[in-house]
Each structure stands twice: as structure tokens, then as C-alpha cells.
Amino acid sequence: MNRNALGIALTLAALAGLRADEGMWTFDNLPKAQMKAKYGFAPDQAWLDHVRLATVRFPGGTGSFISRDGLVLTNHHVGHGWIERVSDAAHDYVKNGFVAQDRKAEIKVPGLELATLMAMEDVTAAVAKAPGGPREALARLAKEAEARTGLRCEPVSLYQGGESWIYSYKVHKDVRLVMAPEYGIAAFGKDWDNFSFPRHDLDFSLFRVYEDGKPYVPPHHLTFASAGPRYGDLTLVVGHPGRTSRLETLAQMEAYRDALNPARIRALDRTRKALHAFAARSPENARIVSGTLMGLENSYKVFVNETVGLRDKDAMAAVARAEKELREAVAKDPALQASAGPSWDLVAKAMARRAAVAREDVASTFGSALPYAANLLRLEEELALPAAQRGAGYRTEKEIADRKDALRRRMFENLELEREFFLAGARGALEELGPDHPQVKALLDGRTPEAAAQALFASALLKDPAARAKAAESGVKGSADPLVVLARRLQPFNLALRQMREETSAVIAEQGARIARARFQVRGRSVYPDATFTLRLSYGAVETYPANGTLAQPFTTFGGLYDRADAWGPEAENRSWELPERWIKARPRLDMSTRFDFISTNDIIGGNSGSPVVDRKGEVVGLAFDGNIESNAGRYFFDPRVNRCISVDVSAILAALGKVYDAGHLVTEITSK
Amino acid sequence: MNRNALGIALTLAALAGLRADEGMWTFDNLPKAQMKAKYGFAPDQAWLDHVRLATVRFPGGTGSFISRDGLVLTNHHVGHGWIERVSDAAHDYVKNGFVAQDRKAEIKVPGLELATLMAMEDVTAAVAKAPGGPREALARLAKEAEARTGLRCEPVSLYQGGESWIYSYKVHKDVRLVMAPEYGIAAFGKDWDNFSFPRHDLDFSLFRVYEDGKPYVPPHHLTFASAGPRYGDLTLVVGHPGRTSRLETLAQMEAYRDALNPARIRALDRTRKALHAFAARSPENARIVSGTLMGLENSYKVFVNETVGLRDKDAMAAVARAEKELREAVAKDPALQASAGPSWDLVAKAMARRAAVAREDVASTFGSALPYAANLLRLEEELALPAAQRGAGYRTEKEIADRKDALRRRMFENLELEREFFLAGARGALEELGPDHPQVKALLDGRTPEAAAQALFASALLKDPAARAKAAESGVKGSADPLVVLARRLQPFNLALRQMREETSAVIAEQGARIARARFQVRGRSVYPDATFTLRLSYGAVETYPANGTLAQPFTTFGGLYDRADAWGPEAENRSWELPERWIKARPRLDMSTRFDFISTNDIIGGNSGSPVVDRKGEVVGLAFDGNIESNAGRYFFDPRVNRCISVDVSAILAALGKVYDAGHLVTEITSK
């Protein structure tokens, strides 16, 4: 097993010069000098306007116009819920895929709205001058702009309040499904391969925007490059990254790393294990929880890997260094010192308060039954107060009516599943706090978790819709229902935790904004703002990274797809790598060396899903759909050594449309210039 | 990036039932009941005799007879050095591969000897009764057996002395090279992919044993199965695992984990970085160090991953549990308690002594120049003593002559490289011990490492062969050569470290044997002995494991090979995944779904390389060639969750011979029953 290492010198030297480029930059503030120095390219205004106007925002994701007839490209997993919505028992377009053979066959998707960013207005000065709080002022200005322009105008607060903007969107309300591959190829490898690479996912879907019943002709659309990128090529990702916390303080990250995330991970782990056990009891059970498990497993993977990232000493040392520099700069400026000097310590105190009850906090979560009763009690409690003193969401008549309505409609369709959730929570409370903790005593009252569950699931409220409707309407005062009794016993603990959360959140928001303003004054626009689900550009290059004991291959190919499917064979119980029928049949027609997915150093995060990856000409070379495991720490920092964006290569999209889905008409539409 | 997790319940359930089977079992003591219970199969004596007599031992590896005409199958990396030996400037069979088109073209390999285990004799009782030490008694018995049988008879001490055996081998001295694939496909992915999976290595080569100038007809040979194994199939690996330390104490493993391995890893890392820098300076430099770097990188990878394994809390808890049970059993038996009771503490003390000077120890290693001078001084020092009082290797006239000869012949071909080694060592000493440590003061004498190197490499001994020859013959008493001066200054430190090593080794050997005898009395033959480069059988099954954020695919295919080659493309600087010309040309002729490499739960280690993987019929289904990264901890324990053996599938061997190498005659020979 001793191996020859010819060429190692070369390759290590190459690794040292890895291309890696941090930042989710706003379109008004690109690091053009850096880009030019490194890649000999920086976009001009026409380039930026073109890609901005060809990009759309999906609910939770991104897409782009890729034909003059309003064809829109996004990820399958961005379209997933909408594809599901237009499916029915006889037409399972998620499982079987869908191809509209002509425009008439395109299916209108109720409720789906896409938005194009038409204008960005910097109103920082106006907000500063306006009376009242900055948040209210910005909201008012946005409303005024909306009335004036007829566009959807959204307030955008960048740099934790350092800049205020109004982003104006043209909204498209008639959106139709054009094409979706089978779930089995869009998410080949299922949850196992999520966040992994090498990857073989055809994670795309096509929609079309209509206006007045006709295909919409967008003022700008992206054309496909004649081929995907080559190794080392510059790649530009345009999209709407959702949320990052990179400008948070070291104390916040340490609290997440050491107390809050570990507690959350333990809780998620208990729940997922309970649900797996539930699912293993029958195929019907498995079907019932598959959606919930999907979310749980994803969250669990993200939390675990985010925490692994937070434990990286080098990355945390860099965070500490940046904070130290900023604090030193603040200390030298009396005005900044007065406004932001103590902020770091106040945030640290708030985080310490949160960390101190991290176990109590996760030990207070229990599926749906107890929260349902707690919500009944909360409503009763809020209604006892004058409207002005009530909590947010309990103030207007409409809010109260909505709450009652939600409580009335709440269903407990599967009590066995609810019982699993409760048991996981109760056993977790025991594990986290021990039997002598007052919160556990209140919960179990000396009983085992099983006995407590027994009593709880005898409850009329859980079983009887009429009892629930009555409780929602008239309250639960004096109720002897075991669920209400237990919720009442736990109320003081929940209240204390809620107060802790609200108080610490207020401190963190206020002090975080002070720190952000100080940073903005010290470092100005040389930094990019945290992600806010608004349009950003990330630049990078196709690049390997060290993974799995070797170097990750920069691309995968169709050959790799079939390799992975063949690898498991008919004997394996795990069907996650099973190919859809169309792909088995198309095999002889496909060129195995066609590039499928690729990795690049672009800095992206959830919300960027469906983002077009374009080259310097602004032509589409790929479609971003995921990050690798190491990118899970991207909420806190971008580690250039290992953080990678994963995209579908345009070659795979065109080959699939033409040779697997008999959708030559779409290939023609996409490739006609 | 949110993914659906359909099927997770099933797959997790499947993971829980992973087939995994620890043990490198001697042929006289197989866990037949366990095998039968788990796989419905246990070998009978005829089966065992058949596979034993069809297996051969290579220097450092294993092979097997696979035709009635003495054709032998082993790994390419087991044959590598021998293939190199029969190559010359005009015939680079490592780079270009080799196929003998007929028997006449087969190339005799000078010096290569293969050995077949003909008999195993348990002489434990005889050794116990014999006068003198057990080691000497066993050696004497082996010598007697050799004279009696004409076979090569080797003493074998199992269970750290609990059993004494004589293993008798038939030795084959006329061995010829028949076929070798190109290094580029035998070790596809080079050092990068070493210990990784998915893997695409055609790591095999073919030799033939001759007797009296004719192909040898072995009494037993293995036939190839008609196909490789399927997922979940039982796999049996027959071979000569080299060395394990699984019966060492917890204190030993902890000392390696916490002090010895980390210090060694730091030192290896410094040296490999220095060598990479050296190699980066010119292609000629790169060529000079490629062999050294190959070994360094392999050692570095093994040490790092061995240490990662030793840090696994679950695995170490299992070691602690087993030790606690044994110590408790010993404590209950007065005789055992008297003989072995204090042994664990004595071993722990010896390890603590080693760990305390781990930094001094690694800070005393410096390429070749200083050790050369130290050896000169050592020789002088030993010669000053009466022969009986001298250290091992310095006692007989012949030993002394050999030492002098070695010193006389020592060359310093590349002083720039020697200088790099010295600098890495000197900087390391500073890093490990700081400037005020006496050992560092003696080394640097107040100079920088660079200034010390300057003085050292002015040495006549390093540059002048005549000066070295004179020093080897007449000693270096009173020499003012800077190299000798420095070595003399460091002598007290080296002496102290040598004494520490010798004394602690003696304690560990003595007490380790006591513990081993106690374990043998308590647990008898229900455990397998540590590996001793003697014949063993490991049973297991083709099985996935969690890796790289997903599940490892159990097999790879030719499709995956081309995928990986296509993935890098012509732009990448790294050529580790470049295909040999023959494989580029053969692509259209190959069935891409042909299985290439596979993973199984078999428990193997270095020395098993080239082992046949056989099915229950004793037919070859694969050829073991590596373990995954997690198996690097296999020296200390077998972790069933992740430790995997990697083998070439017989389908790949036959397809390659037939369709890539035009070696239909070998396919015919192998497949004729």
C-alpha cells in the first residue's frame, strides 16, 4: 500500500495558489480592482444591467430568463414545491418529470410569483434625516416609492443598518411549468449526496413567464455559452443569497459553537432517531414522515457541519483577528468608542445568558401537542391584557381572529407520530437536565416519559376537533384536559425562556447595529454586507479542494452518473442511486464524457439556489444548486481552502433535453441567439 | 439546497445491520461457529489446505497461483520494485507496462523468491520444556526442522509468546515477469488516491514460477470465479498481514496518540515541506526526491490517520473496556496477579518516559550528514570497549568490517538536498525545544540554523570521499571537521536518548509478553494473534460505509475510471488522473459497467497486498490492494463502522487482459479450469 508520489511537488505547489474569492457583492459596489487584478476582467455597467434584468427572484431562490420568450431556468429543488402543486394522483410530475411538448401544454402554477430587480435607490441620507426610527422611515419611503412607480418596492437594510436602500421589483404573476426532470435524477443520491461531491444531480427545471396570456418578452435574457467552463475558468454567480451572519461577534460564534449548536444538534438527533424508528414500523409511517424527515436531516447536516466549521481554529483565529482590529480602531476614536465601545461586551453578556439556558431551551421543544396547548394559554393570557400592552401578533382584531382560526383548524392527524415527538422531547428533557430539574419535575411530575405520554394522549383536545374548536373560541380556563394541565404547569418555564430570548435579541440587535455602524465607518465599502436575500454577485473559478483523503475532481460526467448507479446494483437495499427509466433507456445515445456537475470557489448560500453561473461574456455556463459540506460553515465565514459551490454544467442540461427528454424544441429555443 | 430524504428510514436501518468482521485468523484456529452463524459457511480442512497451498508469500506481500502452469497473481505495487529491476533505460516496464506474448518472452527476475506455506507445527510444549530462553529454543527447533525437511523453516511466535510454531515453506527461486499494466493505471490517482475510495486502480501484475527451466506445476491453484462478488456477498481474504499492535496496552496507545505520533507528524510535515520546496526549484530536483517524497507522504498519511483513529472516543473506550476486563480477571487469580499484575503500570511508566522526551527525540533527526558523523563516533566508542561489552552489531570481526565498509561507501550525492534535510531538522529542533534547551544550544551554539548549516556543509567529510574513507578506517579522534565537532557536541544527547529507547523497549517487551500470556490464559484462542507476516484468513462482505458526507459506493466501474480522467481535462496542472495511451484507445471496446474496484469489511493490513479475495467455493473474486483512510488505525484496532479493504474485481482484470492488453492467451490460461 506504499504508493509512488510522482508529481506531488507540482500539485502541492498548485494547491498553494488556489483561486478562491470571498464575497457576496452588491451590484453597486463590486471589488473591480481585485477582480481585474486576478482575472483580468471586471464587469461594466452594461454587463451588470444585462445580468440583473435577466435574473429573477423565486420564493426562496433564484432563476434567470434564458430565451426571448420568457423561458426561466432554475433548480429543480427551487421548483419542487410548485411542481408538486400542479401534480395530482394521476400526474406525479415530481416522480415522473414533465415536458410540455408545446406552449399549450405548459401548466399554470397558481401562487407562484417571480420578481425582477428593476432599480436600487440609496436612501441612506433621507432615512437619516427622517423623523422617527430608521426602520419605520425606510418602510415609509418604500411605500411611497411603490405608490409612485407601480413596482414592488422593498426596504433593504445593508451592513446591519449602515446603508438603507429601496429595491424595486417588477413582479410576474403568470408563471407556467415547462419542463422538470424526474426527482430521481434531479436529486440523484437523495439526501445522502446532499452537500457532497462528486455529485451527479440534474437539478434544473424550466418555467415560462406569461403576460396578458402570451409569453412574456423580457427586455434582457441570458444566452447559453457554447460549452461549460474549463478548469480554472472565471465563474460569476448572480443571485439572491438568503442570510449570513459573518459580521457577528466572536462571542456569538463561540456561543453557537460551544453551547447553542451542540444542544440543538442533540435535540435534532433525538427527534430524527425517533422519526426513523417510527418510519421503520410501516411503509405508511415512512410515507407520512418523509417530508418532515427531509427537513430534519437537512437541518441536522447543516448544524453539524456549521459547528465543525466553527471549530476550525484557523478560521476562528481570523474572526478574532478582524474583531481585534476593529475594536482597536474604535478605541482610538472617541465618538466611535462612546457609541460602540461597550457593544461587544454587551453582546457577549447576552450570549452568555442564552448559553446558560441552552439545555433548558432545547428541553422545552415537543412536536405539536404541547405547543398547541401553550398557544391556547398564550392567547388567553394576551386577551386578558389591554390591546396596547399585548405582545406582537396579538394586537389587532384581525390578528386575534387569525390566531383563533389557526387554533381551530389545527389537526392531529396521526397521534402515534405526535406521541413519538413528545416522547423524544420528554426523554431529551431528562437527558439534558436530569430528573431533579424543576422544569423536568413540572413536565413529568414523577412519571416516566412513557407514563406522561400515556396521560397526555388520553386528552380530549388532541382527539376531538369539537373540543379544540371550543377551546380556540372560548379559551381553556379551568380545563382539566391533561394537555392543558401540563401546558399550564410548564407555562412559567416557557415564559422565562421567552423573556430571555426577547431581551437578549433586543440587546443583540441594538448592539450589533452599533458595531456594524462602527465597522462601516472604519472599513467603509471595502467589505460586502451580510446576505439579505437581495441581488448579489460572487466571482470565483472552477477549482478542486482536498476532500475524502484526496483531491475532489473538478467536474463529474454522465459516465460518473452511470458508474454510481451501476455501483450499487440490484442487491443493495439503498435505492437512492437508482436511475429513472428514461435515463436507463437513453444511455446508449449519450456521450459519457459530457460534463455534468462542477465545483467552483464562488461564495454562495441558500437563496442562491437556481442562480445562473455566467462567464465574462455574461453567457450561462452553469446553474448553481448546492454547496459542499464545508460550505455549511458559510453562514459564519468563507474558508477559501474548502468552501465550494456546486453547479450543473450547461452541457448536461442541453444533452438531457435533447437526448433524454425528446425536448429538441426547448434546445432550439435556448440556443437560438 | 433542501433535499428530499425519501428512503432514509430504510437506509439507516440497513446501516445499523452492517456486516463487519474483525480478525486475522490463523488457519488452525478459525472462528467457524461465528462464520457459520453469520454467513452459513465455514471452510473445511480441504478448503483450507487448497487455498493455503495455492497462496505464496512475496517479499513484503502476498500472491497466489492462478493456473496449472504456475502463473502467479499479485498487486502491481508488490511487483513494482521487481518490475523496475528488470527494466532499463530503453524498456521502462513501470511506465509502459509489459506483456509477454509467449513463455519465451517472460523475463526472469533476479533475486525474487516466493514461498508457499507447506506445514505448520505447534511446538509450544517442546519450547516450554527446552533449556534456555524460549526464543533461542524456538530458533533451534526451526533449524533442526530445516535440516530434516529441506524446507525453509521459520520460528513463529504468536500471541506475544503464548504459542510457538514452526512454519515450513517451499521456496521458489526462478520467478519471471509475465505481465504488468502501466503504473498510470495500476496506481491511477497516484498518491492522492492512496487510501481513498471510490478508487480506480488496476493494481495487479502477473509472474510465473519456473522449476528446472519449465513452468512449475503447483499442486494447488485458484480458479477465477465467473464474476466478481455482489453487494453483501461473503469475501475471504488469504494472505500475510505484516504487523499489528492491537494487543498493546491503553497506555501505549494513549502515548502514541498524545505525544509520540503528534511529534512524529510534526517532524514528517517539516521534512516533506522542505523537500517539496526543494523539488519546486527544478525538474531535476523533483526527480531526485520523488522516491523519498513517495515514502514520506505515505508515512505522513498513515501517521496522521492512525492518530485520527486513536482519537476516536468509541474505539478507545472499547480498548479501555477490554483492558479493564483482563486486569480484573488477572486480579482474581493469584498466580496471574503475581506474574502480570504490575505489568500494565510498568508499561505505562516506560511509555511516560518516552512521551516526556518525544520532542527531544524528534529534534534529534537530521537527514544523513549528522547521523553519518554520529555513526563514525559510535564505531570509535564501541571499538574502545572489549568485544563482549559492545552493543549489538558491533561484536564480531565481520560486523565491524561491515560497518567500516558502509561508512566508507557512504555518498553525499546532492549536498543541496542534505542541507535541506539538516535545515528542516535544525528549525524543527528550535520549534520543538526553543533556543534555551541544552540540546538546541549544543546544536546551534548561538547560531541561526542557516549559519549552522553554512559551517556544516563546509565539512571535508561531506565533500571528500578520501576524507570519509580515512575516517571510516582510522576513526575521527581529534578531528576538527565541523561535522565531527558538531556530532561530538550532540553525542551526550543522542546517547541519553538511545539508552532511554533501549531501556524502555526492554521493559515493554518483557511486560508485554507477561500481559500477553495472561490474556492467553484468560481468553485462550477466542482471540486472534497480532499479525506476524504469516498466513491468515479474514472473512467479511462487500459493504458500504459512511464517507465524504454520504455513503461510499460499494463498487467502481470502468465508467467511473473514465469519468475521473475526463473530470480533470487538459487544463489541470495535476496529471495524477491521466490515462495511459492504451486505455484511451481501448475505451470504445470496453463495457463501461464492468466492475473495477470494490470495498469489503475484511480485516487486512500491509503485507496483505496481493492477497486473493475468494468466495465460499475458494474461487478468486478479487485481489486486495489497499485499505481506506480509516483502516490506517487498523494497526491498533478494527473499527467495523468504517474500516474497509479495497480490492480489484476479477472482471476488471479479465477485461483489461482481453481488451486492453491483447493478452487473450493469458485470459485463456486463467479461465481454463
Side-chain angles (χ1 to χ4, degrees), chain A residues 2-118:
Chain A
N2 193 319
R3 271 319 140 106
N4 201 314
L6 297 171
I8 276 203
L10 262 178
T11 45
L12 274 197
L15 266 184
L18 278 178
R19 297 158 279 260
D21 311 278
E22 173 173 352
M24 301 165 173
W25 300 92
T26 50
F27 270 51
D28 58 291
N29 182 37
L30 291 172
K32 291 191 185 175
Q34 282 162 243
M35 295 178 72
K36 201 117 196 173
K38 194 154 180 190
Y39 294 104
F41 171 80
D44 60 18
Q45 197 53 48
W47 191 102
L48 289 170
D49 291 344
H50 171 66
V51 299
R52 171 173 56 83
L53 292 166
T55 302
V56 295
R57 193 171 71 180
F58 269 77
T62 301
S64 60
F65 287 116
I66 55 161
S67 87
R68 66 180 76 247
D69 286 345
L71 195 65
V72 172
L73 173 69
T74 188
N75 286 151
H76 185 276
H77 79 270
V78 168
H80 194 145
W82 304 105
I83 302 167
E84 213 161 60
R85 182 164 299 186
V86 298
S87 296
D88 59 33
H91 306 87
D92 187 343
Y93 301 134
V94 171
K95 180 164 184 277
N96 303 319
F98 172 77
V99 184
Q101 282 304 334
D102 55 32
R103 303 251 161 115
K104 268 181 285 179
E106 294 172 1
I107 307 173
K108 179 152 183 180
V109 185
L112 177 55
E113 292 184 358
L114 309 186
T116 305
L117 178 59
M118 304 305 287

Side-chain angles (χ1 to χ4, degrees), chain A residues 372 460-461 464-472 481:
Chain A
Y372 171 72
L461 273 175
D464 179 3
R468 292 201 299 277
K470 183 165 167 284
D481 189 292

Side-chain angles (χ1 to χ4, degrees), chain A residues 147-480:
Chain A
R148 198 169 59 238
T149 61
L151 296 171
R152 181 178 294 167
C153 299
E154 296 183 0
V156 175
S157 175
L158 300 178
Y159 299 103
Q160 271 83 349
E163 288 187 353
S164 297
W165 290 74
I166 293 170
Y167 277 30
S168 304
Y169 297 89
K170 177 175 172 63
V171 178
H172 309 283
K173 301 195 175 193
D174 184 350
V175 185
R176 307 190 187 173
L177 177 63
V178 176
M179 188 271 164
E182 306 86 343
Y183 177 71
I185 189 74
F188 184 72
K190 302 286 181 342
D191 197 69
W192 290 109
D193 278 2
N194 192 13
F195 303 123
S196 82
F197 198 82
R199 189 72 161 279
H200 311 82
D201 286 5
L202 191 73
D203 195 352
F204 87 100
S205 58
L206 296 172
F207 292 83
R208 191 186 307 279
V209 168
Y210 278 73
E211 212 170 58
D212 303 325
K214 280 178 294 195
Y216 170 66
V217 179
H220 288 266
H221 73 271
L222 302 178
T223 53
F224 268 34
S226 57
R230 290 167 312 164
Y231 185 58
D233 275 1
L234 170 65
T235 48
L236 301 130
V237 175
V238 184
H240 298 84
R243 191 190 159 197
T244 55
S245 307
R246 296 183 186 173
L247 301 181
E248 288 193 359
T249 71
L250 184 63
Q252 284 175 287
M253 296 191 198
E254 286 173 345
Y256 281 110
R257 179 192 65 192
D258 299 334
L260 302 174
N261 281 10
R264 176 63 55 93
I265 288 168
R266 291 194 301 273
L268 282 169
D269 193 35
R270 285 189 291 262
T271 310
R272 65 194 260 279
K273 279 180 183 154
L275 261 56
H276 282 301
F278 172 82
R281 289 206 284 273
S282 78
E284 176 59 7
N285 278 10
R287 195 194 62 77
I288 288 170
V289 291
S290 78
T292 310
L293 263 174
M294 147 195 127
L296 262 178
E297 288 292 344
N298 193 71
S299 299
Y300 180 74
K301 224 169 178 176
V302 169
F303 267 106
V304 165
N305 291 305
E306 203 172 277
T307 310
V308 167
L310 284 170
R311 286 187 186 137
D312 186 282
K313 281 181 192 154
D314 294 343
M316 288 298 271
V319 171
R321 222 163 27 239
E323 182 162 308
K324 186 161 171 280
E325 281 168 21
L326 180 57
R327 292 185 74 164
E328 283 169 359
V330 165
K332 280 185 203 146
D333 178 329
L336 282 180
Q337 177 60 22
S339 133
S343 295
W344 283 274
D345 300 327
L346 293 173
V347 169
K349 265 185 208 155
M351 292 309 292
R353 208 179 142 194
R354 283 189 175 186
V357 292
R359 286 173 173 273
E360 280 80 358
D361 205 11
V362 299
S364 68
T365 50
F366 297 92
S368 311
L370 268 177
Y372 171 72
N375 286 338
L376 282 172
L377 292 176
R378 171 91 193 264
L379 178 62
E380 193 176 278
E381 175 193 296
E382 295 283 358
L383 284 176
L385 299 171
Q389 290 173 32
R390 288 181 200 153
Y394 289 90
R395 286 171 195 157
T396 67
E397 282 306 309
K398 179 162 188 316
E399 282 171 344
I400 296 293
D402 285 351
R403 299 243 159 217
K404 284 189 176 173
D405 194 44
L407 287 167
R408 199 179 301 115
R409 291 149 77 109
R410 185 70 180 84
M411 303 278 276
F412 293 88
E413 288 179 22
N414 191 307
L415 286 185
E416 190 194 343
L417 178 57
E418 290 294 337
R419 194 171 173 281
E420 288 298 338
F421 272 117
F422 173 81
L423 272 176
R427 288 174 185 145
L430 253 180
E431 248 176 66
E432 294 286 340
L433 305 174
D436 298 328
H437 191 289
Q439 188 174 324
V440 177
K441 284 186 168 169
L443 172 67
L444 297 180
D445 202 16
R447 301 163 299 183
T448 61
E450 292 70 22
Q454 185 82 11
L456 201 65
F457 288 85
S459 163
L461 273 175
L462 284 176
K463 294 180 169 167
D464 179 3
R468 292 201 299 277
K470 183 165 167 284
E473 194 43 50
S474 335
V476 285
K477 211 158 207 167
S479 167

Side-chain angles (χ1 to χ4, degrees), chain B residues 121-203:
Chain B
E121 187 189 357
D122 185 351
V123 294
T124 311
V127 165
K129 275 184 279 176
R135 208 174 131 178
E136 290 70 24
L138 179 54
R140 199 174 52 244
L141 287 171
K143 228 170 213 173
E144 288 167 16
E146 196 151 304
R148 197 169 59 239
T149 61
L151 296 171
R152 181 178 294 168
C153 299
E154 296 183 1
V156 175
S157 174
L158 299 178
Y159 300 102
Q160 271 84 348
E163 287 188 355
S164 298
W165 289 74
I166 293 169
Y167 277 30
S168 306
Y169 297 90
K170 177 175 172 65
V171 179
H172 309 283
K173 300 195 175 191
D174 184 352
V175 185
R176 308 189 188 176
L177 176 64
V178 176
M179 188 272 165
E182 305 86 343
Y183 177 70
I185 189 75
F188 184 72
K190 303 284 183 338
D191 196 70
W192 289 110
D193 278 3
N194 192 13
F195 303 124
S196 82
F197 197 82
R199 190 73 161 279
H200 309 83
D201 286 5
L202 192 73
D203 195 352

